[in-house]
Amino acid sequence: MSKHTKTAAAVAFCSLLLGTGAQAAEEKLYLFNWTEYMDPEIITAFEQKYDVEVVQNYYNSLPEMFAKLNAGGASQYDIIVPSNYYVPRLIETGLVQKLDHAKIPNLANVKEQFKDPSFDPGSAYSAPYQWGTTGMVYNTDTFPDAPNSWSLMFDPKVNPDYPFAIMGDGQVAIGAACGALGKPYDCNTLDSWREAAKLMIETKSRDNFSGFTDGTPALQQLARGVTHVGMSYNGDYLYFKGEDPEAFEHLAFAIPDEGAEMWVDSMMIPSGAPHPDLAHKFIDFILDAKIGAQLSNYNYYASPNAAAEPYLDEALKQPPAQPTEEEMKRLRFTPSLEGEQLQTFQQLWSEVQAR
């Protein structure tokens, strides 16, 4: 998630033309992506290879992306990069089209675990872009003996005083609350949601709750000491730790024992994409072994591309970019919700936000 996203920096719906060599190109590819999630050199290479121009628009959250597509964006963009639990929703609403696998030979490079995902059987509509985890980031000076647990945020006995933030994505936040209650992270029953929503409302009322803060802004708050616990993405954490080692010296990323989110961001083609053939070429280009590695080496997220592994930086082959076997056992996909179930969840989350 972005999902950097998934970096989720605070830039919304702005456009940026990347590459100068394709200024005169007649054909354009319109890419709708998370912010700071694409290496500009990859865009330039694609433009030069196909003599096209790539125009990028950005979103800061999945609801924002979905709303834009519903408002006519499905005929404006050629490629979107949603997270796994939005893929069924996009398919169900007819906002995306099936992929022509014959036009994407590099799909053969995809790791087995990503070839037949539960959220899109047979990868009929989606191709994996990057994957990662959403975990807890905390100050090790403040909590030298911290339990590896969501209780650092949700239990006032464990953390009675130090400011903390929770991610603003409803399903991710409720998943963490479910974990704190001893339930599976991927809880999806009405009773579980009600209990988690009640805990969220109680948590919001505590004096040291600093608000809902996503991804990169959460890390910035932690680095400045504004908060001492938050939620963010493993790639964001690794990237910013490399950029400012001193500020991140006492910040640790953790996959809580109760479980956390594993996500996959995928490339999809909107139903009314103006350039579907070019969109297929772009997907195939990203799935090239060396390009796939270049993408991960740029944004510090794990690659779903098996052929890319020999070209990955060492940091991407170990935690937190690559979870341990034990951590993998605790990771779950955020559930995909549709119809009445989705409506019920949205009502519950709206109540949490309003209280």
Side-chain angles (χ1 to χ4, degrees), residues 286-351:
I286 295 298
L287 292 177
D288 173 82
K290 291 185 176 179
I291 294 297
Q294 182 178 342
L295 178 63
S296 286
N297 292 338
Y298 173 79
N299 62 33
Y300 280 68
Y301 283 103
S303 176
N305 191 327
E309 288 189 350
Y311 310 104
L312 292 173
D313 292 346
E314 275 306 309
L316 296 174
K317 301 177 182 181
Q318 54 194 342
Q322 178 62 53
T324 66
E325 287 187 19
E326 283 302 310
E327 288 173 336
M328 287 296 293
K329 293 176 183 177
R330 304 200 296 268
L331 294 170
R332 298 289 184 272
F333 282 138
T334 293
S336 299
L337 306 179
E338 300 174 36
E340 186 177 337
Q341 191 182 35
L342 173 60
Q343 186 177 9
T344 299
F345 180 86
Q346 290 174 330
Q347 289 172 346
L348 271 173
W349 184 243
S350 294
E351 185 176 348

Side-chain angles (χ1 to χ4, degrees), residues 10-337:
V11 182
F13 296 126
C14 59
S15 298
L16 175 64
L17 181 63
L18 295 177
T20 57
Q23 296 292 327
E26 291 184 6
E27 194 167 16
K28 295 182 180 181
L29 177 90
Y30 293 91
L31 172 62
F32 198 26
N33 199 357
W34 299 92
T35 59
E36 297 183 32
Y37 207 23
M38 171 60 73
D39 183 351
E41 293 184 6
I42 291 177
I43 295 296
T44 299
F46 180 79
E47 289 178 325
Q48 292 174 346
K49 180 174 182 177
Y50 291 103
D51 189 27
V52 297
E53 179 181 306
V54 177
V55 179
Q56 294 196 84
N57 282 357
Y58 304 106
Y59 51 86
N60 192 47
S61 71
L62 291 168
E64 187 178 298
M65 178 272 298
F66 192 78
K68 182 69 171 179
L69 291 179
N70 261 324
S75 60
Q76 297 173 8
Y77 303 112
D78 296 303
I79 295 284
I80 57 174
V81 190
S83 298
N84 48 279
Y85 63 102
Y86 260 71
V87 170
R89 200 176 306 179
L90 290 162
I91 296 171
E92 179 72 19
T93 53
L95 291 171
V96 291
Q97 61 182 270
K98 281 190 173 182
L99 299 180
D100 185 345
H101 287 196
K103 295 180 179 179
I104 314 174
N106 281 331
L107 275 172
N109 290 340
V110 173
K111 292 180 180 180
E112 285 299 321
Q113 71 187 96
F114 298 108
K115 284 187 175 180
D116 187 27
S118 59
F119 53 85
D120 179 24
S123 297
Y125 290 84
S126 66
Y129 180 80
Q130 297 278 258
W131 73 276
T133 61
T134 306
M136 180 176 67
V137 182
Y138 67 96
N139 189 309
T140 56
D141 280 348
T142 306
F143 303 103
D145 301 310
N148 189 42
S149 168
W150 292 116
S151 63
L152 271 182
M153 290 185 289
F154 291 100
D155 190 338
K157 294 179 181 178
V158 176
N159 177 18
D161 302 312
Y162 293 101
F164 65 94
I166 295 176
M167 194 164 279
D169 184 308
Q171 283 192 253
V172 176
I174 288 294
C178 280
L181 290 167
K183 302 178 185 298
Y185 171 84
D186 54 349
C187 61
N188 62 357
T189 66
L190 182 56
D191 287 343
S192 293
W193 287 347
R194 283 173 173 161
E195 288 184 57
K198 180 182 178 183
L199 177 59
M200 284 294 310
I201 292 170
E202 292 171 354
T203 301
K204 279 184 62 184
S205 68
R206 287 161 51 196
D207 291 340
N208 54 334
F209 174 67
S210 69
F212 292 109
T213 311
D214 292 328
T216 298
L219 290 173
Q220 292 168 339
Q221 289 183 355
L222 286 156
R224 296 196 307 268
V226 175
T227 57
H228 294 250
V229 190
M231 297 173 68
S232 194
Y233 309 108
N234 58 340
D236 277 19
Y237 168 81
L238 189 59
Y239 175 82
F240 286 104
K241 184 176 182 178
E243 290 288 298
D244 192 353
E246 185 175 348
F248 279 73
E249 181 180 2
H250 301 293
L251 296 179
F253 181 91
I255 302 295
D257 291 339
E258 303 95 338
E261 180 192 32
M262 170 182 169
W263 49 262
V264 180
D265 285 342
S266 299
M267 295 173 284
M268 304 184 79
I269 303 177
S271 54
H275 310 103
D277 287 339
L278 190 58
H280 281 86
K281 290 177 181 177
F282 183 82
I283 292 173
D284 193 61
F285 188 77
I286 295 298
L287 292 177
D288 173 82
K290 291 185 176 179
I291 294 297
Q294 182 178 342
L295 178 63
S296 286
N297 292 338
Y298 173 79
N299 62 33
Y300 280 68
Y301 283 103
S303 176
N305 191 327
E309 288 189 350
Y311 310 104
L312 292 173
D313 292 346
E314 275 306 309
L316 296 174
K317 301 177 182 181
Q318 54 194 342
Q322 178 62 53
T324 66
E325 287 187 19
E326 283 302 310
E327 288 173 336
M328 287 296 293
K329 293 176 183 177
R330 304 200 296 268
L331 294 170
R332 298 289 184 272
F333 282 138
T334 293
S336 299
L337 306 179

